[in-house]
Amino acid sequence: MMAGDMRQVDAVIQRRLASDVAMIDKIAHYIISAGGKRIRPMLVLLFSSALGFNGPERFELAATVEFIHTATLLHDDVVDESALRRGRQTANALFGNAASVLVGDFVYSRAFQMMVSVNRMRVLEILADATNVIAEGEVLQLMNMHDPDLSVDDYLRVIRFKTAKLFEASARLGAVLSDASAEVEASCAAYGRALGTSFQLIDDLLDYEGATTELGKNVGDDLREGKPTLPLLLAMERGNSAERDLIRHAIEHGEVARLSEIVDIVRRTGAITATRDAARAEAEKAANCLAVLPVSAYREALLELCVRSVERSS
Ligand code: GRG
């Protein structure tokens, strides 16, 4: 159903990535051609189609949110010093930090040229606000590094900002393109927010549960950075004092020498299951927001995304 539409999005992506500057062309195509799940563009398309809008602006905005996502990945991999993304070497590992950051800037500012082209002030407002909140989320996360006493609420705030906000904006754009009522728009946005939260909870869980080969990134990366994510916070809450001390120390020092023991504690205390339960609860919240949409294959696909987001292993 969506395959033809997604091809149109890919065509916009290819056309809009073009630059006469060889380094930009090389790096931008390197990361974009590695694939990725294209979930954010899918949200723009599914919500606009579900609400009856079929104009070409939906392809432009679907590509725009993917560009914003791509720019954040380029920057994030530099900040995190990550070596692996989408199953291959990161752009920073291959081309260096400076080139990665600057090409990220190119992709990010190209996204702004694209959003202006649809000529709607609300679209600009939504994406300007979303990108600003994403940056806030990253700074908040930076401030929370190496803090084993982070509260679950503060952790949730970070993931709403850094990840769920772009899902929310993508869904909201579909509603705005369709001139939906304020009430419908709010429901679409709430779907995106809940799905994005679910998505990041699973992302954080996979860092302790997944296999590097399947995941396309290195397991244990979060711990290496001293990132206090929900699986660790819950394992500390549930573990005995020796287990708690081991995890505290690992977060404080970004210590991965005892990673396998920590993975074992996370698993044994039920922190994995509890994190997946939290993700499932968010996905169910998202599913319930779909009641405002008319019945259609698009609405079914949005429901299917909720199920898949919780079950995914990559
Ligand atoms: C350029 C606006 C701007 C901000 C820079 C570095 C930064 C500030 C933000 C990074 C935010 C970030 C990387 C959040 C994590 C989002 C996330 C879950 C990424 C993985 O998304 P998937 O699984 O990736 O959709 P694929 O590879 O499928 O596209």
Side-chain angles (χ1 to χ4, degrees), residues 36-37 40 69 72 76 86 108 138 162-163 199-200:
K37 295 179 285 299
R40 298 153 191 84
H69 170 57
T72 68
D76 195 53
R86 294 174 169 169
Y108 183 53
E138 279 289 295
K162 74 165 184 172
T163 305
F199 201 81
Q200 186 63 55

Side-chain angles (χ1 to χ4, degrees), residues 34 60 76 127 184 208 217 248:
E60 198 71 20
D76 195 53
L127 289 170
V184 169
Y208 294 94
K217 64 174 196 175
R248 279 190 79 84

Side-chain angles (χ1 to χ4, degrees), residues 8-271:
Q8 299 253 44
V9 174
D10 274 334
V12 176
I13 287 176
Q14 291 303 330
R15 182 161 49 78
R16 289 291 204 171
L17 267 191
S19 165
D20 292 337
V21 180
M23 181 61 113
I24 293 177
D25 224 46
K26 188 158 79 181
I27 299 185
H29 279 101
Y30 175 77
I31 178 147
I32 285 275
S33 69
K37 295 179 285 299
R38 305 275 200 265
I39 296 174
R40 298 153 191 84
M42 239 182 276
L43 293 182
V44 176
L45 296 183
L46 287 171
F47 275 103
S48 51
S49 296
L51 290 164
F53 178 84
N54 289 306
E57 293 90 339
R58 71 192 206 284
F59 301 126
E60 198 71 20
L61 290 185
T64 302
V65 295
E66 189 66 11
F67 275 20
I68 293 172
H69 170 57
T70 304
T72 68
L73 297 183
L74 283 166
H75 286 182
D76 195 53
D77 287 339
V78 170
V79 172
D80 292 352
E81 299 174 24
S82 303
L84 212 58
R85 159 86 60 193
R86 294 174 169 169
R88 29 164 135 170
Q89 272 192 290
T90 50
N92 44 298
L94 260 182
F95 308 106
N97 285 347
S100 274
V101 168
L102 296 173
V103 173
D105 290 342
F106 171 86
V107 176
Y108 183 53
S109 52
R110 177 55 51 87
F112 274 80
Q113 294 175 315
M114 291 158 71
M115 68 182 86
V116 168
S117 76
V118 308
N119 209 10
R120 291 183 67 148
M121 189 52 90
R122 280 282 287 134
V123 165
L124 298 183
E125 188 181 18
I126 289 162
L127 289 170
D129 288 350
T131 50
N132 189 249
V133 166
I134 293 168
E136 273 185 332
E138 279 289 295
V139 176
L140 267 180
Q141 173 171 275
L142 182 67
M143 290 165 56
N144 295 340
M145 288 302 189
H146 301 291
D147 180 6
D149 296 313
L150 184 73
S151 71
V152 170
D153 276 354
D154 285 340
Y155 159 81
L156 287 173
R157 180 155 178 250
V158 168
I159 71 176
R160 294 232 155 83
F161 281 26
K162 74 165 184 172
T163 305
K165 196 67 193 177
L166 192 54
F167 280 70
E168 176 187 331
S170 303
R172 192 189 284 279
L173 287 174
V176 165
L177 281 177
S178 320
D179 290 319
S181 70
E183 183 210 355
V184 169
E185 181 189 319
S187 246
C188 297
Y191 170 99
R193 194 159 52 244
L195 184 74
T197 304
S198 166
F199 201 81
Q200 186 63 55
L201 285 164
I202 298 292
D203 204 71
D204 290 347
L205 173 160
L206 290 174
D207 215 66
Y208 294 94
E209 190 201 51
T212 295
T213 45
E214 203 179 342
L215 212 52
K217 64 174 196 175
N218 285 313
V219 169
D221 270 358
D222 286 348
L223 188 61
R224 195 167 295 111
E225 287 179 74
K227 216 183 257 182
T229 57
L230 193 62
L232 292 182
L233 297 178
L234 295 179
M236 280 191 291
E237 229 172 75
R238 293 155 175 244
N240 62 32
S241 72
E243 292 169 335
R244 197 162 29 251
D245 286 348
L246 176 61
I247 297 177
R248 279 190 79 84
H249 180 89
I251 293 175
E252 279 168 352
H253 302 278
E255 168 77 74
V256 285
R258 296 173 71 182
L259 178 65
S260 65
E261 269 174 89
I262 291 175
V263 168
D264 202 51
I265 296 167
V266 169
R267 229 170 259 163
R268 209 158 15 80
T269 54

